[in-house]
Amino acid sequence: MPAHLATAVAAIERWTAQQPELRDDFTVDSAAASAFWGRAEEILADLPDRPDRTPEEQAAAQRVHDVSRRLRRGFVHAHGERLHDELTDGGRRPARLDELAYAAAERVAHLSPTRAAIAAELTRIQPLKEGREADQGILFWGLLRSGRSGAHVLRSMLRPTGRALGLLEELRRSGAVDLGVVSVERRGGVGHVTVKNLSCLNAEDNTLAEDLETAVDLVLLDDGIRVGVVRGAPMTHPRYRDRRVFNAGINLTNLYHGQISLVDFLLRRELGYISKIVNGLVLDGDCPSDPQVAEKPWIAAVDTFAIGGGMQLALAFDHVIADKEAWFSLPAVQEGIIPGASNFRLSRILGPRLARQVILGGRKIHAAEPEARLLCDEITDSDSVGAAVDAAADHLQAPSVVANRRMLNLVDEPSDQFREYMARFAFEQSKRLYSDDVMEILERTWISRGRG
Protein backbone atom coordinates (compact mmCIF):
# COMPACT_ATOMS: atom_id res chain seq x y z
CA MET A 1 0.00 0.00 0.00
CA PRO A 2 1.45 3.41 -0.96
CA ALA A 3 2.57 5.47 2.02
CA HIS A 4 0.08 8.30 1.39
CA LEU A 5 -2.79 5.83 1.20
CA ALA A 6 -1.70 4.06 4.39
CA THR A 7 -1.62 7.45 6.12
CA ALA A 8 -5.12 8.25 4.86
CA VAL A 9 -6.51 4.87 5.94
CA ALA A 10 -5.06 5.31 9.41
CA ALA A 11 -6.55 8.80 9.62
CA ILE A 12 -9.93 7.43 8.57
CA GLU A 13 -9.86 4.79 11.29
CA ARG A 14 -8.96 7.36 13.98
CA TRP A 15 -11.68 9.69 12.69
CA THR A 16 -14.30 6.92 12.61
CA ALA A 17 -13.58 6.08 16.23
CA GLN A 18 -14.36 9.69 17.16
CA GLN A 19 -17.91 9.65 15.74
CA PRO A 20 -20.13 11.61 18.13
CA GLU A 21 -23.14 10.11 19.83
CA LEU A 22 -26.29 12.11 19.17
CA ARG A 23 -27.84 13.41 22.38
CA ASP A 24 -31.27 14.62 21.23
CA ASP A 25 -30.15 18.24 21.60
CA PHE A 26 -30.23 20.12 18.29
CA THR A 27 -27.61 22.71 19.23
CA VAL A 28 -25.18 20.23 20.80
CA ASP A 29 -25.64 17.64 18.05
CA SER A 30 -25.27 20.24 15.29
CA ALA A 31 -21.93 21.41 16.65
CA ALA A 32 -20.57 17.89 17.22
CA ALA A 33 -21.73 16.50 13.89
CA SER A 34 -20.51 19.53 11.94
CA ALA A 35 -17.05 19.17 13.47
CA PHE A 36 -17.00 15.46 12.60
CA TRP A 37 -18.09 16.10 9.02
CA GLY A 38 -15.59 18.95 8.74
CA ARG A 39 -12.79 16.55 9.59
CA ALA A 40 -14.15 14.19 6.91
CA GLU A 41 -13.76 16.96 4.34
CA GLU A 42 -10.15 17.44 5.41
CA ILE A 43 -9.45 13.74 4.93
CA LEU A 44 -11.08 13.80 1.48
CA ALA A 45 -9.02 16.87 0.55
CA ASP A 46 -5.83 14.95 1.39
CA LEU A 47 -6.78 12.30 -1.20
CA PRO A 48 -6.42 12.97 -4.93
CA ASP A 49 -9.36 14.63 -6.65
CA ARG A 50 -12.12 12.18 -7.63
CA PRO A 51 -11.09 11.83 -11.32
CA ASP A 52 -7.48 11.05 -10.33
CA ARG A 53 -8.06 8.43 -7.61
CA THR A 54 -6.98 4.83 -7.86
CA PRO A 55 -9.62 2.21 -6.99
CA GLU A 56 -8.03 1.86 -3.54
CA GLU A 57 -8.12 5.62 -2.97
CA GLN A 58 -11.74 5.75 -4.09
CA ALA A 59 -12.60 2.93 -1.69
CA ALA A 60 -11.05 4.98 1.13
CA ALA A 61 -13.05 8.04 0.09
CA GLN A 62 -16.21 5.97 -0.07
CA ARG A 63 -15.56 4.75 3.46
CA VAL A 64 -15.50 8.39 4.61
CA HIS A 65 -18.78 9.11 2.82
CA ASP A 66 -20.45 5.98 4.21
CA VAL A 67 -19.58 6.83 7.81
CA SER A 68 -20.55 10.48 7.33
CA ARG A 69 -23.88 9.52 5.79
CA ARG A 70 -24.83 7.19 8.60
CA LEU A 71 -24.42 10.10 10.99
CA ARG A 72 -26.31 12.43 8.63
CA ARG A 73 -29.21 10.02 8.53
CA GLY A 74 -29.25 9.76 12.29
CA PHE A 75 -29.11 13.54 12.59
CA VAL A 76 -32.03 14.28 10.27
CA HIS A 77 -34.01 11.41 11.81
CA ALA A 78 -33.62 13.04 15.20
CA HIS A 79 -33.74 16.69 14.20
CA GLY A 80 -35.52 16.94 10.83
CA GLU A 81 -38.52 18.79 12.22
CA ARG A 82 -36.40 21.22 14.27
CA LEU A 83 -34.18 21.92 11.27
CA HIS A 84 -37.22 22.53 9.08
CA ASP A 85 -38.68 24.91 11.67
CA GLU A 86 -35.46 26.91 11.75
CA LEU A 87 -35.33 27.12 7.94
CA THR A 88 -38.99 28.14 7.53
CA ASP A 89 -39.73 30.24 10.60
CA GLY A 90 -41.68 27.45 12.20
CA GLY A 91 -43.45 26.55 8.97
CA ARG A 92 -44.76 30.07 8.46
CA ARG A 93 -42.58 30.72 5.41
CA PRO A 94 -42.87 28.55 2.26
CA ALA A 95 -39.59 27.28 0.86
CA ARG A 96 -38.89 25.36 -2.31
CA LEU A 97 -36.57 22.39 -2.45
CA ASP A 98 -33.48 24.28 -3.58
CA GLU A 99 -34.00 26.94 -0.91
CA LEU A 100 -34.23 24.27 1.79
CA ALA A 101 -31.21 22.37 0.50
CA TYR A 102 -28.85 25.33 0.54
CA ALA A 103 -30.28 26.94 3.68
CA ALA A 104 -29.69 23.65 5.51
CA ALA A 105 -26.08 23.66 4.32
CA GLU A 106 -25.64 27.09 5.88
CA ARG A 107 -27.48 26.33 9.11
CA VAL A 108 -25.66 23.06 9.90
CA ALA A 109 -22.20 23.02 8.32
CA HIS A 110 -21.46 19.99 6.14
CA LEU A 111 -24.92 18.45 6.67
CA SER A 112 -25.60 18.87 2.95
CA PRO A 113 -23.59 20.33 0.07
CA THR A 114 -23.41 24.06 -0.53
CA ARG A 115 -24.57 25.68 -3.74
CA ALA A 116 -20.92 26.03 -4.80
CA ALA A 117 -20.26 22.33 -4.18
CA ILE A 118 -23.20 21.30 -6.35
CA ALA A 119 -22.13 23.78 -9.05
CA ALA A 120 -18.70 22.14 -9.09
CA GLU A 121 -20.30 18.70 -9.36
CA LEU A 122 -22.28 19.83 -12.42
CA THR A 123 -19.02 20.42 -14.30
CA ARG A 124 -18.18 16.69 -14.20
CA ILE A 125 -19.57 13.65 -15.92
CA GLN A 126 -21.65 11.47 -13.62
CA PRO A 127 -19.03 8.72 -13.08
CA LEU A 128 -16.45 11.28 -11.92
CA LYS A 129 -18.61 13.19 -9.44
CA GLU A 130 -17.98 13.03 -5.71
CA GLY A 131 -21.63 12.11 -5.25
CA ARG A 132 -22.63 15.05 -3.05
CA GLU A 133 -26.29 14.77 -4.07
CA ALA A 134 -26.56 11.63 -1.94
CA ASP A 135 -26.32 13.95 1.06
CA GLN A 136 -29.23 15.99 -0.30
CA GLY A 137 -31.20 12.77 -0.61
CA ILE A 138 -30.64 12.09 3.09
CA LEU A 139 -31.68 15.64 3.96
CA PHE A 140 -35.00 15.37 2.10
CA TRP A 141 -35.65 11.91 3.49
CA GLY A 142 -35.42 13.51 6.92
CA LEU A 143 -37.62 16.48 6.05
CA LEU A 144 -40.30 14.54 4.15
CA ARG A 145 -40.65 11.59 6.52
CA SER A 146 -42.12 13.85 9.22
CA GLY A 147 -45.83 14.50 8.85
CA ARG A 148 -45.50 18.14 9.91
CA SER A 149 -42.39 19.23 8.04
CA GLY A 150 -43.10 16.95 5.09
CA ALA A 151 -46.60 18.36 4.59
CA HIS A 152 -45.14 21.87 4.61
CA VAL A 153 -42.56 20.91 1.97
CA LEU A 154 -45.27 19.44 -0.27
CA ARG A 155 -47.50 22.46 0.18
CA SER A 156 -44.63 24.88 -0.52
CA MET A 157 -43.87 23.08 -3.78
CA LEU A 158 -47.51 23.51 -4.87
CA ARG A 159 -47.20 27.29 -4.86
CA PRO A 160 -46.73 29.05 -8.22
CA THR A 161 -43.19 29.90 -9.24
CA GLY A 162 -42.04 33.49 -9.48
CA ARG A 163 -41.34 33.01 -13.17
CA ALA A 164 -44.94 32.00 -13.84
CA LEU A 165 -46.32 34.92 -11.86
CA GLY A 166 -44.12 37.25 -13.89
CA LEU A 167 -45.42 35.85 -17.19
CA LEU A 168 -49.10 35.56 -16.27
CA GLU A 169 -50.10 38.99 -17.57
CA GLU A 170 -48.48 38.23 -20.93
CA LEU A 171 -50.54 35.03 -21.25
CA ARG A 172 -53.72 36.86 -20.25
CA ARG A 173 -53.03 39.65 -22.74
CA SER A 174 -51.74 37.75 -25.78
CA GLY A 175 -53.05 34.25 -25.17
CA ALA A 176 -49.65 32.65 -25.70
CA VAL A 177 -46.22 32.41 -24.04
CA ASP A 178 -43.10 30.76 -25.46
CA LEU A 179 -40.91 29.54 -22.61
CA GLY A 180 -38.14 27.93 -24.66
CA VAL A 181 -38.62 24.16 -24.90
CA VAL A 182 -42.29 24.49 -23.89
CA SER A 183 -45.01 26.84 -25.10
CA VAL A 184 -48.46 27.68 -23.73
CA GLU A 185 -51.43 28.80 -25.80
CA ARG A 186 -54.98 29.54 -24.72
CA ARG A 187 -57.57 28.50 -27.28
CA GLY A 188 -61.11 28.93 -26.09
CA GLY A 189 -61.12 27.70 -22.54
CA VAL A 190 -58.29 25.22 -23.11
CA GLY A 191 -54.64 25.75 -22.21
CA HIS A 192 -52.47 23.88 -24.71
CA VAL A 193 -49.00 23.07 -23.38
CA THR A 194 -46.72 21.99 -26.23
CA VAL A 195 -43.42 20.31 -25.40
CA LYS A 196 -40.78 20.97 -28.07
CA ASN A 197 -37.43 19.75 -26.74
CA LEU A 198 -36.69 18.84 -30.33
CA SER A 199 -33.00 18.01 -30.00
CA CYS A 200 -33.76 14.92 -27.92
CA LEU A 201 -37.30 13.76 -28.78
CA ASN A 202 -38.77 15.61 -25.79
CA ALA A 203 -36.48 13.85 -23.31
CA GLU A 204 -36.64 15.44 -19.87
CA ASP A 205 -33.85 17.41 -18.21
CA ASN A 206 -33.35 20.34 -15.83
CA THR A 207 -34.33 22.90 -18.49
CA LEU A 208 -37.51 21.08 -19.44
CA ALA A 209 -38.46 20.75 -15.77
CA GLU A 210 -38.17 24.52 -15.36
CA ASP A 211 -40.24 25.28 -18.46
CA LEU A 212 -42.88 22.62 -17.88
CA GLU A 213 -43.51 23.67 -14.28
CA THR A 214 -43.88 27.27 -15.44
CA ALA A 215 -46.33 26.17 -18.14
CA VAL A 216 -48.43 24.14 -15.71
CA ASP A 217 -48.52 27.11 -13.34
CA LEU A 218 -49.66 29.44 -16.11
CA VAL A 219 -52.50 27.15 -17.15
CA LEU A 220 -53.67 26.85 -13.56
CA LEU A 221 -53.36 30.60 -12.90
CA ASP A 222 -55.14 31.88 -16.02
CA ASP A 223 -58.82 32.36 -15.20
CA GLY A 224 -59.68 32.05 -18.89
CA ILE A 225 -58.48 28.43 -18.98
CA ARG A 226 -60.68 25.62 -17.69
CA VAL A 227 -58.80 22.53 -18.99
CA GLY A 228 -55.10 21.86 -19.53
CA VAL A 229 -53.64 19.75 -22.36
CA VAL A 230 -50.07 18.49 -22.73
CA ARG A 231 -48.89 17.26 -26.13
CA GLY A 232 -45.54 16.90 -27.87
CA ALA A 233 -44.62 19.00 -30.90
CA PRO A 234 -43.76 17.57 -34.35
CA MET A 235 -40.14 16.42 -34.30
CA THR A 236 -37.16 17.36 -36.49
CA HIS A 237 -35.25 14.12 -35.79
CA PRO A 238 -34.74 12.24 -39.10
CA ARG A 239 -36.40 9.07 -37.83
CA TYR A 240 -39.48 10.91 -36.53
CA ARG A 241 -39.51 13.97 -38.75
CA ASP A 242 -42.88 15.80 -38.66
CA ARG A 243 -44.30 13.22 -36.23
CA ARG A 244 -45.41 14.28 -32.79
CA VAL A 245 -43.68 12.59 -29.85
CA PHE A 246 -44.97 12.76 -26.30
CA ASN A 247 -41.86 12.10 -24.22
CA ALA A 248 -38.65 10.05 -24.49
CA GLY A 249 -37.95 9.89 -20.75
CA ILE A 250 -34.88 11.09 -18.91
CA ASN A 251 -32.15 12.59 -21.06
CA LEU A 252 -29.44 9.94 -20.66
CA THR A 253 -26.87 12.08 -22.46
CA ASN A 254 -27.37 14.83 -19.89
CA LEU A 255 -27.31 12.27 -17.09
CA TYR A 256 -23.96 10.92 -18.30
CA HIS A 257 -22.59 14.46 -18.45
CA GLY A 258 -23.75 15.13 -14.90
CA GLN A 259 -26.44 17.62 -15.89
CA ILE A 260 -29.42 15.86 -14.31
CA SER A 261 -29.98 17.20 -10.81
CA LEU A 262 -31.54 15.37 -7.89
CA VAL A 263 -33.12 18.52 -6.46
CA ASP A 264 -33.74 20.61 -9.58
CA PHE A 265 -35.02 17.72 -11.69
CA LEU A 266 -35.73 14.35 -10.08
CA LEU A 267 -37.39 15.73 -6.95
CA ARG A 268 -38.68 18.94 -8.50
CA ARG A 269 -40.63 17.20 -11.26
CA GLU A 270 -42.46 14.93 -8.82
CA LEU A 271 -43.21 17.56 -6.17
CA GLY A 272 -43.55 20.38 -8.70
CA TYR A 273 -45.39 20.12 -12.00
CA ILE A 274 -46.57 16.51 -11.69
CA SER A 275 -48.01 17.17 -8.23
CA LYS A 276 -49.53 20.41 -9.48
CA ILE A 277 -51.29 18.52 -12.28
CA VAL A 278 -52.75 16.17 -9.67
CA ASN A 279 -53.42 18.60 -6.82
CA GLY A 280 -53.53 22.09 -8.33
CA LEU A 281 -51.79 25.24 -7.11
CA VAL A 282 -51.82 26.46 -3.52
CA LEU A 283 -52.42 30.19 -3.75
CA ASP A 284 -52.68 30.99 -0.06
CA GLY A 285 -50.27 29.19 2.24
CA ASP A 286 -51.25 31.10 5.38
CA CYS A 287 -54.06 28.75 6.32
CA PRO A 288 -52.87 25.14 5.88
CA SER A 289 -56.24 23.71 6.96
CA ASP A 290 -58.13 25.59 4.23
CA PRO A 291 -55.78 26.81 1.48
CA GLN A 292 -57.03 28.51 -1.66
CA VAL A 293 -56.36 26.10 -4.53
CA ALA A 294 -56.44 26.59 -8.30
CA GLU A 295 -57.26 23.19 -9.73
CA LYS A 296 -58.21 22.06 -13.26
CA PRO A 297 -58.59 18.81 -15.19
CA TRP A 298 -55.75 17.74 -17.47
CA ILE A 299 -55.55 15.80 -20.74
CA ALA A 300 -52.45 14.02 -22.05
CA ALA A 301 -52.21 13.48 -25.82
CA VAL A 302 -49.71 10.65 -26.30
CA ASP A 303 -48.27 10.46 -29.79
CA THR A 304 -45.70 7.82 -30.84
CA PHE A 305 -44.41 6.88 -27.37
CA ALA A 306 -44.30 7.75 -23.68
CA ILE A 307 -41.03 6.31 -22.41
CA GLY A 308 -39.88 6.45 -18.79
CA GLY A 309 -40.71 9.91 -17.50
CA GLY A 310 -43.30 10.23 -20.26
CA MET A 311 -45.24 7.26 -18.93
CA GLN A 312 -44.75 8.56 -15.38
CA LEU A 313 -46.25 11.87 -16.45
CA ALA A 314 -49.22 10.26 -18.21
CA LEU A 315 -50.19 8.42 -15.02
CA ALA A 316 -51.03 11.74 -13.37
CA PHE A 317 -53.59 12.93 -15.96
CA ASP A 318 -57.38 12.81 -15.78
CA HIS A 319 -57.82 11.80 -19.40
CA VAL A 320 -55.25 10.11 -21.68
CA ILE A 321 -55.64 9.95 -25.44
CA ALA A 322 -53.14 7.89 -27.45
CA ASP A 323 -52.63 7.29 -31.12
CA LYS A 324 -53.07 3.63 -31.97
CA GLU A 325 -49.38 3.20 -32.84
CA ALA A 326 -48.16 4.63 -29.53
CA TRP A 327 -46.51 2.63 -26.78
CA PHE A 328 -45.64 3.05 -23.10
CA SER A 329 -42.63 1.82 -21.12
CA LEU A 330 -40.71 2.33 -17.89
CA PRO A 331 -37.12 1.20 -18.58
CA ALA A 332 -35.82 2.52 -15.25
CA VAL A 333 -34.62 -0.90 -14.05
CA GLN A 334 -32.57 -1.25 -17.23
CA GLU A 335 -31.20 2.26 -16.58
CA GLY A 336 -30.55 1.43 -12.93
CA ILE A 337 -32.77 4.10 -11.40
CA ILE A 338 -36.25 4.42 -9.86
CA PRO A 339 -39.05 5.59 -12.18
CA GLY A 340 -40.26 8.55 -10.16
CA ALA A 341 -43.62 8.01 -8.48
CA SER A 342 -44.62 5.23 -10.89
CA ASN A 343 -44.04 2.64 -8.18
CA PHE A 344 -46.59 4.59 -6.13
CA ARG A 345 -49.23 4.91 -8.86
CA LEU A 346 -48.89 2.01 -11.27
CA SER A 347 -50.24 -0.87 -9.18
CA ARG A 348 -53.44 1.11 -8.61
CA ILE A 349 -53.82 1.75 -12.33
CA LEU A 350 -52.64 -1.54 -13.86
CA GLY A 351 -52.88 -3.95 -10.94
CA PRO A 352 -49.87 -5.26 -8.98
CA ARG A 353 -48.87 -8.11 -11.30
CA LEU A 354 -48.85 -6.09 -14.51
CA ALA A 355 -47.16 -3.20 -12.71
CA ARG A 356 -44.29 -5.51 -11.77
CA GLN A 357 -44.00 -6.71 -15.34
CA VAL A 358 -43.67 -3.12 -16.53
CA ILE A 359 -41.33 -1.83 -13.80
CA LEU A 360 -39.25 -4.89 -12.98
CA GLY A 361 -39.45 -6.73 -16.30
CA GLY A 362 -39.37 -3.81 -18.73
CA ARG A 363 -42.58 -4.80 -20.47
CA LYS A 364 -43.82 -2.34 -23.08
CA ILE A 365 -47.53 -1.74 -23.43
CA HIS A 366 -48.66 -0.93 -26.95
CA ALA A 367 -51.84 0.99 -27.58
CA ALA A 368 -53.16 -1.91 -29.64
CA GLU A 369 -52.99 -4.28 -26.64
CA PRO A 370 -56.04 -4.76 -24.39
CA GLU A 371 -53.93 -3.76 -21.37
CA ALA A 372 -53.51 -0.30 -22.86
CA ARG A 373 -57.14 0.40 -21.95
CA LEU A 374 -55.99 0.56 -18.34
CA LEU A 375 -53.61 3.41 -19.23
CA CYS A 376 -55.63 5.24 -21.88
CA ASP A 377 -59.17 6.56 -22.02
CA GLU A 378 -59.19 6.78 -25.80
CA ILE A 379 -57.11 5.23 -28.58
CA THR A 380 -57.48 6.67 -32.04
CA ASP A 381 -55.77 7.22 -35.38
CA SER A 382 -52.83 9.61 -35.19
CA ASP A 383 -54.60 12.18 -37.37
CA SER A 384 -57.63 12.10 -35.04
CA VAL A 385 -55.81 12.79 -31.77
CA GLY A 386 -56.41 16.54 -32.02
CA ALA A 387 -60.15 16.13 -32.53
CA ALA A 388 -60.31 13.68 -29.62
CA VAL A 389 -58.53 16.22 -27.42
CA ASP A 390 -61.04 18.92 -28.36
CA ALA A 391 -64.01 16.67 -27.59
CA ALA A 392 -62.55 15.55 -24.26
CA ALA A 393 -61.76 19.15 -23.30
CA ASP A 394 -65.36 20.15 -23.97
CA HIS A 395 -66.60 17.35 -21.72
CA LEU A 396 -64.16 18.13 -18.89
CA GLN A 397 -65.30 21.75 -18.68
CA ALA A 398 -68.47 20.64 -16.86
CA PRO A 399 -68.74 22.60 -13.57
CA SER A 400 -68.66 19.53 -11.32
CA VAL A 401 -65.48 18.01 -12.80
CA VAL A 402 -63.02 19.81 -10.51
CA ALA A 403 -64.83 18.85 -7.32
CA ASN A 404 -65.14 15.23 -8.41
CA ARG A 405 -61.51 14.88 -9.48
CA ARG A 406 -60.51 16.34 -6.12
CA MET A 407 -62.46 13.64 -4.31
CA LEU A 408 -61.07 10.91 -6.57
CA ASN A 409 -57.51 12.06 -5.92
CA LEU A 410 -58.18 12.19 -2.19
CA VAL A 411 -58.77 8.42 -2.30
CA ASP A 412 -56.31 7.53 -5.05
CA GLU A 413 -53.33 9.52 -3.73
CA PRO A 414 -53.59 10.16 0.03
CA SER A 415 -51.14 12.95 0.78
CA ASP A 416 -49.46 11.18 3.69
CA GLN A 417 -48.82 8.07 1.62
CA PHE A 418 -47.39 10.16 -1.20
CA ARG A 419 -45.20 12.08 1.25
CA GLU A 420 -43.85 8.87 2.77
CA TYR A 421 -43.15 7.48 -0.68
CA MET A 422 -41.29 10.62 -1.72
CA ALA A 423 -39.21 10.58 1.46
CA ARG A 424 -37.98 7.10 0.63
CA PHE A 425 -37.63 7.99 -3.05
CA ALA A 426 -35.32 10.90 -2.22
CA PHE A 427 -33.05 8.58 -0.25
CA GLU A 428 -33.07 5.61 -2.63
CA GLN A 429 -32.81 7.59 -5.87
CA SER A 430 -29.90 9.65 -4.59
CA LYS A 431 -28.00 6.41 -3.93
CA ARG A 432 -28.96 4.92 -7.28
CA LEU A 433 -27.57 7.93 -9.18
CA TYR A 434 -24.05 7.04 -8.01
CA SER A 435 -24.21 3.26 -7.86
CA ASP A 436 -21.61 1.21 -9.74
CA ASP A 437 -24.16 -0.42 -12.04
CA VAL A 438 -25.61 2.94 -13.13
CA MET A 439 -22.10 4.21 -13.89
CA GLU A 440 -21.45 1.11 -16.00
CA ILE A 441 -24.77 1.52 -17.83
CA LEU A 442 -24.06 5.16 -18.61
CA GLU A 443 -20.55 4.42 -19.85
CA ARG A 444 -21.82 1.54 -21.98
CA THR A 445 -24.65 3.64 -23.41
CA TRP A 446 -22.29 6.49 -24.21
CA ILE A 447 -19.81 4.18 -25.96
CA SER A 448 -22.56 2.36 -27.88
CA ARG A 449 -23.67 5.67 -29.33
CA GLY A 450 -20.21 6.12 -30.79
CA ARG A 451 -19.09 8.81 -28.36
CA GLY A 452 -16.59 6.93 -26.25
Side-chain angles (χ1 to χ4, degrees), residues 341-384:
S342 297
N343 308 61
F344 177 73
R345 296 187 172 107
L346 199 61
S347 289
R348 166 173 56 83
I349 295 171
L350 292 183
R353 187 53 49 203
L354 186 51
R356 280 167 169 74
Q357 292 173 19
V358 172
I359 293 175
L360 304 182
R363 174 175 173 176
K364 295 180 181 179
I365 296 182
H366 295 266
E369 297 180 74
E371 291 83 353
R373 291 293 179 179
L374 298 172
L375 292 171
C376 307
D377 299 278
E378 298 181 63
I379 298 168
T380 186
D381 294 334
S382 59
D383 58 3
S384 300

Side-chain angles (χ1 to χ4, degrees), residues 214-235:
T214 304
V216 169
D217 283 357
L218 287 170
V219 168
L220 291 170
L221 288 167
D222 189 334
D223 294 336
I225 293 175
R226 293 182 294 278
V227 178
V229 174
V230 175
R231 191 178 187 187
M235 296 290 104

